[in-house]
Amino acid sequence: MSEHRGSQPCSQLKISETILKTGQLDVMKSWYATVLGVAPFFEHTPLAGTSPLDLGGQTRASDLCMCFFRLSLDFPYTQTIGLFEEPGTAIVPTKGAPGLHHIQLSVANHHALCSTGGCVRIAALRTSGAPSRS
């Protein structure tokens, strides 16, 4: 920990939503459900035959399969992770390509982790072969 923690300027903004683009929505949805210990609170599948509309390098969200997981309802600082299945997204990341490095989730202490079923979820991830680090 930094000794100067109290003197460091911080933004007033809070992260409320993180959206991850994937080429394998079902695999990612299962992984996040296991890690977070909750099912998605919202899922969307566009109507059959919908062609994703490209809006200058970004696809219109309503044209994609997606799901959202709620991490916190502590108003006004709700926290959500969303997964969007983007056509053409690589299944295996390419070294050197831009992208998200990682997301770190935390709990107050080991007791809090285990009391919310976290220890069971970690064990399930280890036996499933899904990539994880604890």
Side-chain angles (χ1 to χ4, degrees):
M1 284 288 187
S2 171
E3 293 177 310
H4 306 288
R5 181 176 165 186
S7 65
Q8 294 295 315
C10 293
S11 173
Q12 294 299 309
L13 299 174
K14 306 289 185 216
I15 295 174
S16 64
E17 186 174 89
T18 301
I19 305 298
L20 305 173
K21 182 169 64 172
T22 181
Q24 44 186 349
L25 181 65
D26 291 336
V27 172
M28 295 275 291
K29 182 170 50 172
S30 176
W31 191 89
Y32 274 93
T34 301
V35 169
L36 301 174
V38 296
F41 73 90
F42 176 81
E43 296 186 56
H44 170 74
T45 302
L47 296 173
T50 301
S51 295
L53 177 63
D54 186 332
L55 302 171
Q58 185 170 348
T59 307
R60 182 172 57 186
S62 61
D63 294 342
L64 301 174
C65 291
M66 66 179 76
C67 67
F68 293 87
F69 295 90
R70 186 77 74 205
L71 299 177
S72 171
L73 286 174
D74 297 333
F75 184 80
Y77 305 112
T78 59
Q79 297 175 352
T80 302
I81 292 179
L83 305 174
F84 285 13
E85 187 164 49
E86 180 83 38
T89 301
I91 301 298
V92 178
T94 305
K95 188 170 178 76
L100 178 70
H101 189 276
H102 73 277
I103 297 173
Q104 180 174 316
L105 304 173
S106 63
V107 293
N109 53 49
H110 188 264
H111 174 73
L113 175 68
C114 290
S115 68
T116 60
C119 292
V120 172
R121 292 192 303 273
I122 290 169
L125 282 173
R126 287 185 176 146
T127 60
S128 73
S132 66
R133 191 180 86 186
S134 59

